Amino acid sequence: MIKNIIVYLCLLLSVFIFNIFYYAWFSWFLLVAVLSLPLISLVVSLPFMITSATNGFIIFAKDNIISGEDFYIGIACKKRNTAFCPLMRVKIKAYNTFTNKKENINITYGGSLRKAVFAKFNKLGKNCGCIILDAKHFKIYDIMGIFFIPVRTDSHISVNIMPKPQKTLVMPNYENIAVLGYKPKSGGGFSDFYELRQYQNGDSIKNIHWKLSSKHDDLIVREPCQPIYKKFAIKLELTDNSNENDSILAKFLYVCDCVFKNGSDCFVLCKGFNFVSLLTDNNDAQMYIKSLYNGIPYKECLPDKNNFLVYSIFGEREEVN
């Protein structure tokens, strides 16, 4: 490493100056010893460096973590046998696809790799998004950190930083998500709702209401129907502020959970994205957020915008349109 080389050169210069002003056998001995240090370090470290480079290394991390939790990056030996590494350094490029923030991470370690080694980088997990970790190669150094052997790795890891549900100040009015009416169920079959009407050619005999038919002297059938709900949509008013977006996504998860517990589905539209998604459960809500991180549509649909109730979520406030 450049830092180690600079330190060694400063030491060598100091010893050389000392040798000029203090001309004696001791100063010559000290100068020769300092000059020999890199070679001695290389000779002692080379077998371990070669072994470590042969075994190879990998980096890894959790697939999903909650925003604000500890963010760990792990390093492990590819082979399960124990390997001693004099000094190892890996440079990792981190990129958040949602916030467009980039950061370079350097991990340095020296010692025995019996099991995985973890380094904490909580700054990466501060904001929601998909963190892409790229590492092209490791460098295995000697004890002094001057000579090294490059080891190619090509590690490409993605970690989703998910929001923690946060209660909103203004909740949707579920009474407005009401049944507007009923319509014949496509394909017929069982239903909790029925409409009574006169028999028509082609109607199934199973659907005839015999008791009413006998009273009215006419065949009456029960036609299976399905309710027409007022459509509920959540609109995410995302901004350029990462902290506000974190708050919006956290409130979104909370509202979705309440809507699903109420027995309703919901549509989602997001500022800056040209698609509408239909969500039916909490897993859909999680997958929708992950799709936003990468700008990929999730369960895209083209709903009829009639009878739409839109609930907009902002970073600092909420309102129903």
Side-chain angles (χ1 to χ4, degrees):
M1 291 180 281
I2 296 177
K3 179 182 176 181
N4 296 36
I5 295 174
I6 293 174
V7 171
Y8 171 72
L9 291 177
C10 291
L11 175 63
L12 183 61
L13 181 61
S14 301
V15 173
F16 180 74
I17 294 173
F18 175 75
N19 180 67
I20 293 175
F21 291 98
Y22 188 79
Y23 189 77
W25 71 269
F26 176 76
S27 62
W28 276 102
F29 176 79
L30 186 61
L31 180 60
V32 172
V34 173
L35 283 171
S36 304
L37 278 178
L39 182 60
I40 295 172
S41 174
L42 179 61
V43 171
V44 172
S45 306
L46 193 58
F48 301 105
M49 293 170 65
I50 294 174
T51 303
S52 299
T54 303
N55 288 333
F57 300 94
I58 57 172
I59 63 170
F60 60 93
K62 285 185 177 180
D63 293 334
N64 302 284
I65 67 171
I66 304 299
S67 177
E69 287 186 353
D70 291 336
F71 190 110
Y72 288 98
I73 297 177
I75 299 177
C77 183
K78 283 185 178 179
K79 298 182 180 179
R80 295 188 177 181
N81 54 318
T82 303
F84 175 78
C85 182
L87 189 64
M88 171 188 63
R89 190 182 188 194
V90 57
K91 183 177 181 180
I92 303 173
K93 293 182 178 180
Y95 173 63
N96 190 322
T97 60
F98 192 57
T99 63
N100 293 322
K101 292 182 179 179
K102 299 179 181 179
E103 188 171 347
N104 291 327
I105 300 170
N106 293 313
I107 300 178
T108 303
Y109 175 78
S112 177
L113 271 176
R114 289 185 179 178
K115 53 185 180 180
V117 176
F118 294 92
K120 185 189 294 185
F121 295 95
N122 286 347
K123 187 177 179 181
L124 294 177
K126 182 181 178 182
N127 294 119
C128 295
C130 179
I131 308 295
I132 305 297
L133 301 174
D134 276 318
K136 297 298 182 183
H137 55 264
F138 289 80
K139 289 183 179 179
I140 313 300
Y141 288 86
D142 65 314
I143 295 174
M144 289 187 65
I146 296 177
F147 304 100
F148 68 88
I149 299 175
V151 181
R152 193 163 185 81
T153 177
D154 284 333
S155 295
H156 185 85
I157 303 168
S158 62
V159 182
N160 290 305
I161 311 299
M162 302 301 294
K164 184 177 181 180
Q166 174 186 339
K167 188 175 182 179
T168 60
L169 297 176
V170 180
M171 290 297 295
N173 186 358
Y174 296 110
E175 293 180 359
N176 290 333
I177 312 174
V179 178
L180 301 178
Y182 297 89
K183 63 180 180 180
K185 185 178 180 182
S186 178
F190 176 79
S191 175
D192 291 328
F193 308 98
Y194 292 91
E195 183 182 68
L196 298 175
R197 61 171 176 79
Q198 286 184 328
Y199 177 83
Q200 297 176 358
N201 290 332
D203 287 338
S204 174
I205 299 178
K206 295 180 180 178
N207 293 335
I208 296 177
H209 197 303
W210 294 106
K211 188 175 288 187
L212 280 178
S213 297
S214 62
K215 287 182 179 180
H216 294 277
D217 293 329
D218 196 3
L219 291 178
I220 305 296
V221 298
R222 291 177 295 184
E223 183 176 40
C225 296
Q226 59 186 22
I228 303 172
Y229 289 100
K230 193 167 188 176
K231 302 180 185 70
F232 177 69
I234 301 174
K235 186 178 181 182
L236 306 181
E237 299 287 350
L238 297 180
T239 67
D240 294 329
N241 187 301
S242 300
N243 293 327
E244 284 191 13
N245 290 341
D246 292 347
S247 177
I248 290 171
L249 294 179
K251 294 172 184 176
F252 166 69
L253 282 185
Y254 184 87
V255 172
C256 282
D257 183 59
C258 294
V259 170
F260 300 142
K261 285 180 179 178
N262 193 55
S264 303
D265 299 337
C266 69
F267 295 93
V268 187
L269 46 153
C270 183
K271 184 178 179 181
F273 295 85
N274 297 321
F275 60 88
V276 179
S277 300
L278 175 62
L279 310 184
T280 58
D281 54 33
N282 287 317
N283 181 63
D284 275 349
Q286 296 278 344
M287 295 302 296
Y288 177 79
I289 289 178
K290 292 178 183 179
S291 72
L292 282 185
Y293 291 164
N294 298 289
I296 302 172
Y298 177 74
K299 285 194 173 181
E300 188 175 7
C301 60
L302 295 173
D304 180 7
K305 293 187 178 180
N306 294 325
N307 303 318
F308 239 56
L309 175 68
V310 180
Y311 177 83
S312 299
I313 302 180
F314 297 86
E316 301 298 331
R317 60 190 177 90
E318 303 85 20
E319 66 179 14
V320 177
N321 297 328

